[in-house]
Amino acid sequence: MKLLETISSFAGKYFAFFVIATAMTAYFIPDAFTRFGAYITILLGVVMFGMGLTLKAADFKVVFTQPVPVIIGVLAQYTVMPLVAFGIAYALRLPPELAAGLVLLGCVPGGTASNVMVYLAKGNVALSVAMTSVSTLLAPVATPAILLLLAGQWLPVDAKSMFLSIFQVIIVPIALGLIVQRFFPRAVEKSISVVPLISVAAILIIVSAVTAANAGNVAEAGFIVFLAVFLHNGFGLLIGYLAAKAMGLSENDRRAISIEVGMQNSGLGVALATAHFSPLAALPSVWGAIWHNISGPIIATIWSKKPASTEARGMGSAPAGGAVAGE
């Protein structure tokens, strides 16, 4: 178990490098990875189950004790990111599948890797965890509805089918994780440190499958998609911070909202795009899985060297073991 914990910690720390290496390998040797495409939904369910194992009632305490920052952050998550994605898709004149895929990336909830980034950035971790949890629970309704409104012009969106998909791949596994945690607490406590390793492995397989399926498109559309994801992430980080500042929130709240809004659950984006659109539409979320895990550590490192204006709440310890689950 100690060895697995060490490997798990190492995998979580260098996740971005593993994602890049996996994507490159799948691009050059696609035939070795295309078989995994059929397991994308199951793998994401495994990741969400890991998230359920780590959630606790205390994670929602801030929702009731300090609801304003949570409301601001979640509203920004489901307004700023979809609208920015919509604007970028138009500005760059993306083809329909890529445009819909980018908007889908903007419509998914925040990824839980953001919780670790907020911790490193000396931000409000309790707020970050609460935002991730609330936005994830709202996803079955919010994601299909917003996607139908903004992306229906490019590709047909079956909101009902997508609602069922998100419910099955997110809500059910999280609920199962909570049940297991409730009835088998000792077993969960002993194994929780290994959850990041399982999550990392699942996300890497998902990235490899979609990259392999898009091997023929990456060379042609790779740069424009990366540019779109780069701009989307950058605007999310900036607008999230400015929105929190405009509402008079403290510096550690601003950092939490900025990172939480800017980092998406790209694994969910990949699964939904593959199931409801096409492998090409999943390409923005694949780039998101790569870039978010590069930009996140960069901004966290910069902020870690600058103390927040007030003492960060929820900073007593690092986030629990499922930290990389959403990415």
Side-chain angles (χ1 to χ4, degrees), residues 204-226:
L204 292 180
I205 295 172
I206 290 172
V207 168
S208 71
V210 178
T211 303
N214 282 294
N217 299 314
V218 169
E220 181 180 347
F223 175 75
I224 193 68
V225 175
F226 172 73

Side-chain angles (χ1 to χ4, degrees), residues 172-262:
V172 172
I174 288 178
L176 289 175
L178 290 170
I179 292 171
V180 171
Q181 181 190 153
R182 171 68 178 82
F183 290 101
F184 305 98
R186 291 186 179 179
V188 171
E189 186 178 349
K190 290 181 179 179
S191 60
I192 200 68
S193 58
V194 184
V195 170
L197 179 60
I198 298 172
S199 299
V200 166
I203 293 297
L204 292 180
I205 295 172
I206 290 172
V207 168
S208 71
V210 178
T211 303
N214 282 294
N217 299 314
V218 169
E220 181 180 347
F223 175 75
I224 193 68
V225 175
F226 172 73
L227 178 61
V229 171
F230 173 83
L231 292 172
H232 185 243
N233 176 241
F235 277 117
L237 292 169
L238 178 62
I239 297 175
Y241 184 90
L242 293 178
K245 184 177 182 179
M247 295 301 294
L249 301 183
S250 63
E251 175 64 19
N252 62 327
D253 284 350
R254 297 174 199 169
R255 294 180 183 185
I257 291 176
S258 171
I259 293 174
E260 190 67 32
V261 170

Side-chain angles (χ1 to χ4, degrees), residues 118-129:
V118 171
Y119 174 77
L120 296 175
K122 298 181 179 179
N124 186 341
V125 177
L127 172 58
S128 177
V129 172

Side-chain angles (χ1 to χ4, degrees), residues 85 88-89 94-106 108 207 210-211 214 217-218 221-222 224-230 232-233 264-267 269-270 273-274 277-292 327:
I88 292 172
L94 296 180
E97 289 175 293
L98 292 178
L102 183 65
V103 173
L104 173 57
L105 177 62
V108 295
V207 168
V210 178
T211 303
N214 282 294
N217 299 314
V218 169
I224 193 68
V225 175
F226 172 73
L227 178 61
V229 171
F230 173 83
H232 185 243
N233 176 241
Q264 310 297 102
N265 189 332
S266 46
V270 169
T274 304
F277 296 146
S278 69
L280 182 59
L283 198 55
S285 290
V286 171
W287 275 115
I290 297 171
W291 178 245
H292 293 175
E327 290 296 328

